[in-house]
Amino acid sequence: MNDTIANASIQELSSWEFAQKLDAQDPLAKFRDEFAIPPRRSVSGSHPVVESDADLDKPCTYLCGNSLGLMPKRSRELVMQEFDVWADRGVVGHWDHPGHGGWAVIDEPLKEPLGRLVGAKPSEVTPMNTLTANLHAMMASFYKPTKDRFKILIEAKAFPSDHYAVSSQLRLHGFDPEEALIALAPRQGESTLRTEDIIQTIRNDHQIALVMLSGIQYYTGQLFEIEKITRVGHEEGCVVGWDLAHAVGNAPLQLHDWDVDFACWCSYKYLNSGAGGIAGLFVHEKYANDDRPRLAGWWGNDKATRFEMKPEFKPSPGASGYQMSNPSILATASLLGSLQVFDAAGFSALRSKSVSLTGYLERLLDTVLEAHQKAGHFSILTPRDPEHRGCQLSLDFPQRMMDIFAQLEARGVICDERKPTVIRIAPVPLYNTYTDALRAVLSLKDILDSFFPISQ
Ligand SMILES: *Cc1c(COP(=O)(O)O)cnc(C)c1O
């Protein structure tokens, strides 16, 4: 954490002046302007808690980029340009386009910036489909069970879509998830998984064909040790794939160097591409030219012969060979707008700010809300070590979580709830401020003080 924050007194920490000073010193502060921040009027529900009506026109405190990133203004511009070209040129826009090489190659300009975010060569990544569809596509090609090696390892309480996808793949191959799905849970009394326990499971169970964890666990915010777990998986003969829904654009990734087999992610969370945006895929270069069976479609065919419309399928080298359909132009243009903002800011600068901003939020929760934490009104589930998390902190409220959530919303503090007891708060370095973090914690203090009065 930033020394200024680590050394500050409680009085300093909880003062607006201190938060404003941190914002003034933030070299990335200007990027907030690249985004549309919803006003409190639109997001505070039917009973907003405000001091005056003028407050309703102020921007909300949006701490929900883990669920849906805010709209980059550039994305709107790029999408509007595509409408204009569509209106002006119709089908000709596929080949002759004033803004880029045409819709037939709209995915190409995304490969370099996506590769930079996940630590991959452009040929190892592609935008395509949606996340769950990509998980299925990857399992169709990389989950090759045998009589002796057929299990899939995921984390307990994985995102439900991943759980369903994995279970259905097991069933498609004739296995019973009761027997073939290992859903690894934290130790009794702990909320996150220990790397040593994940490794032990992989080493001791000789029947695992596929390890497919999430890079960052959506509920707890834990960032797994991707490199270490991938290495052990390979030593034990497993294929190792990752769901990076909450990691991409949030945590540092080096998928190529870490020798990850495949990875999938969505783009509407930290990548700000808009709800239902186009997802992403990484397939390691070592598989670039193997023509393993896949869920093939014409967009995965070799580009040189794609439009010859022949019945023989010859895959494009690399990740592109797994594409199925021609990508949504609007979704792809929207994602490109966001990737341009990422490139302008630079990921390592974003990660430094993220560590500092989430560290500040954590420090505020530990000081301003110390009495409520001690009284058991809430606890922080997310690992305390910044190396083991992204920007999100998951707060566990054993009582009245939904009431607390509604009260935050009424104050224009937008987070998200995950039942049964968690509220996730994600300060995003591209558009959030230190003042946002302070406002969230002071609002929470207000709410907790009224729900659970603490006698002095
Ligand atoms: C957000 C998320 C999903 C959502 O899947 P879609 O196919 O994009 O609807 C799946 N898995 C994880 C881990 C997620 O965080």
Side-chain angles (χ1 to χ4, degrees), residues 280-340:
L281 177 71
F282 164 90
V283 179
H284 198 277
E285 189 176 41
K286 64 192 173 187
Y287 303 114
N289 293 305
D290 77 346
D291 57 355
R292 66 181 53 224
R294 63 193 73 198
L295 302 183
W298 73 317
W299 224 251
N301 196 71
D302 188 17
K303 291 194 185 64
T305 56
R306 182 186 285 165
F307 291 100
E308 289 175 13
M309 305 309 211
K310 293 189 176 141
E312 303 83 36
F313 177 75
K314 178 168 178 277
S316 282
S320 299
Y322 291 87
Q323 284 178 284
M324 293 172 196
S325 297
N326 75 108
S328 156
I329 301 310
L330 302 180
T332 308
S334 182
L335 175 57
L336 181 60
S338 176
L339 295 178
Q340 287 175 355

Side-chain angles (χ1 to χ4, degrees), residues 29-51:
K30 62 173 190 261
F31 288 98
R32 179 174 169 86
D33 229 23
E34 298 274 348
F35 292 85
I37 319 273
R40 288 172 66 177
R41 181 184 304 286
S42 313
V43 295
S44 296
S46 46
H47 300 289
V49 175
V50 285
E51 275 163 28

Side-chain angles (χ1 to χ4, degrees), residues 39-227:
R40 288 172 66 177
R41 181 184 304 286
S42 313
V43 295
S44 296
S46 46
H47 300 289
V49 175
V50 285
E51 275 163 28
S52 75
D53 269 3
D55 281 353
L56 289 171
D57 295 321
K58 292 184 181 160
C60 75
T61 302
Y62 194 85
L63 296 164
C64 206
N66 57 308
S67 179
L68 186 75
L70 289 178
M71 187 197 78
K73 296 172 185 169
R74 289 179 198 219
S75 292
R76 172 154 47 195
E77 270 171 37
L78 292 180
V79 171
M80 292 313 289
Q81 278 171 25
E82 297 301 349
F83 274 116
D84 291 343
V85 176
W86 182 17
D88 186 51
R89 304 189 179 201
V91 71
V92 172
H94 278 300
W95 317 108
D96 187 0
H97 191 294
H100 48 73
W103 298 323
V105 289
I106 181 99
D107 33 15
E108 293 301 324
L110 281 84
K111 292 179 181 173
E112 288 203 2
L114 278 178
R116 277 192 281 280
L117 282 178
V118 299
K121 299 185 178 180
S123 60
E124 291 175 309
V125 294
T126 187
M128 74 180 223
N129 297 350
T130 50
L131 169 54
T132 307
N134 288 345
L135 291 173
H136 276 297
M138 287 297 96
M139 285 190 276
S141 290
F142 288 91
Y143 171 55
K144 294 288 161 209
T146 63
K147 201 160 56 45
D148 302 320
R149 199 178 263 287
F150 55 90
K151 293 185 185 170
I152 302 180
L153 173 68
I154 61 171
E155 80 271 18
K157 296 198 195 153
F159 194 90
S161 202
D162 301 50
H163 204 113
Y164 306 152
V166 164
S167 302
S168 63
Q169 286 286 336
L170 289 168
R171 286 203 193 90
L172 280 168
H173 287 277
F175 297 102
D176 178 0
E178 284 291 324
E179 190 198 349
L181 179 61
I182 309 175
L184 189 61
R187 294 185 189 189
Q188 193 83 43
E190 299 185 9
S191 47
T192 54
L193 279 164
R194 297 191 194 191
T195 304
E196 63 196 270
D197 291 352
I198 300 172
I199 287 176
Q200 275 252 316
T201 304
I202 297 171
R203 291 229 190 270
N204 293 346
D205 188 317
H206 302 288
Q207 296 180 311
I208 300 175
L210 173 64
V211 174
M212 206 178 81
L213 301 165
S214 52
I216 290 185
Q217 220 286 334
Y218 83 101
Y219 192 78
T220 65
Q222 177 179 16
L223 169 59
F224 290 115
E225 295 189 78
I226 299 177
E227 180 177 20

Side-chain angles (χ1 to χ4, degrees), residues 255-270:
L255 300 184
H256 176 89
D257 289 349
W258 295 345
D259 202 27
V260 164
D261 292 303
F262 68 83
C264 307
W265 57 88
C266 50
S267 66
Y268 44 81
K269 292 170 180 164
Y270 295 104

